[in-house]
Amino acid sequence: MNFCSHCGHRVRFDTPELDNRPRFMCDQCGTVHYQNPRVITGTLPVAPDGRILLCRRAIEPRHGYWTLPAGFMENGETTVEGALRETVEESRVMGKNPQLLSMVSLPDFDQVHVFYRIDMPDFSFETTPESSEVVLFHHQDIPWDEIAFLTVKVTLEHYLEHLNTEQVPVLNSVVHRPQKQV
């Protein structure tokens, strides 16, 4: 950030008084520009027969890989509203009974991914501009080597690990950027 979005003057990167980390600050108008993580919210849709719905991405990043329907939360919506909206946008599924399933922090990417398990009311779904394929998978047929994002993989693994329990606990986890091998 070079210029203040409020008044247009140059900003500096420094620690404001009574704060504990550096921020972009404008000396002209006094605005402190806080930069916070982005929230990605989505669902793990379960069909009436227990199969899991996955979408093959028709967009970047990770074009052509499989994922759960998810995307950036919008201002003015809750995480559940965002998750259900993204599910419709990517699969045309109108999910029911959302239950918090996982919350995964990605501090290296300044993101938090939140997934809800939802019930599909029927077997209706379709492709969209964001998903080139939408498929119901039996647990043993999930294309693990073609999963787009690590947060989706850990969410799927967590769900399947607790599938035969009375209630699936909420996964609260952290995923870091893989270290490059030297």
Side-chain angles (χ1 to χ4, degrees):
M1 179 176 216
N2 294 314
F3 300 96
C4 178
S5 60
H6 291 278
C7 72
H9 282 81
R10 276 207 168 277
V11 294
R12 64 183 169 96
F13 193 64
D14 200 359
T15 304
E17 189 176 328
L18 304 176
D19 205 334
N20 61 0
R21 61 185 62 202
R23 319 264 185 199
F24 289 103
M25 303 179 348
C26 179
D27 291 326
Q28 180 70 29
C29 70
T31 298
V32 177
H33 297 275
Y34 294 94
Q35 295 177 314
N36 302 106
R38 298 172 80 176
V39 177
I40 287 74
T41 185
T43 65
L44 189 153
V46 179
D49 64 359
R51 288 183 290 168
I52 295 171
L53 181 134
L54 294 177
C55 302
R56 189 183 292 272
R57 293 180 59 78
I59 58 175
E60 292 294 348
R62 308 289 288 161
H63 182 274
Y65 285 82
W66 292 98
T67 190
L68 295 169
F72 289 104
M73 184 174 151
E74 298 287 348
N75 290 336
E77 68 184 3
T78 66
T79 55
V80 170
E81 290 168 341
L84 294 173
R85 174 187 51 76
E86 285 289 341
T87 302
V88 171
E89 288 178 6
E90 295 186 13
S91 67
R92 302 293 183 244
V93 168
M94 302 296 291
K96 305 286 184 207
N97 306 318
Q99 297 172 352
L100 182 60
L101 178 61
S102 70
M103 183 170 56
V104 184
S105 297
L106 292 95
D108 300 325
F109 296 95
D110 301 325
Q111 295 179 355
V112 177
H113 293 203
V114 180
F115 287 95
Y116 293 87
R117 182 213 178 277
I118 60 168
D119 295 323
M120 293 174 58
D122 52 34
F123 294 96
S124 299
F125 57 87
E126 59 187 77
T127 59
T128 70
E130 296 182 29
S131 301
S132 61
E133 286 183 76
V134 182
V135 176
L136 291 172
F137 286 95
H138 288 284
H139 308 144
Q140 66 273 15
D141 298 328
I142 292 173
W144 293 106
D145 292 340
E146 298 178 50
I147 298 296
F149 306 106
L150 189 53
T151 55
V152 170
K153 184 175 187 252
V154 299
T155 296
L156 284 165
E157 290 171 340
H158 173 73
Y159 174 72
L160 294 174
E161 178 183 335
H162 295 90
L163 190 58
N164 295 322
T165 59
E166 192 171 308
Q167 184 173 351
V168 178
V170 175
L171 172 68
N172 188 355
S173 185
V174 177
V175 170
H176 289 283
R177 183 187 314 253
Q179 297 297 316
K180 290 184 180 179
Q181 298 296 327
V182 182

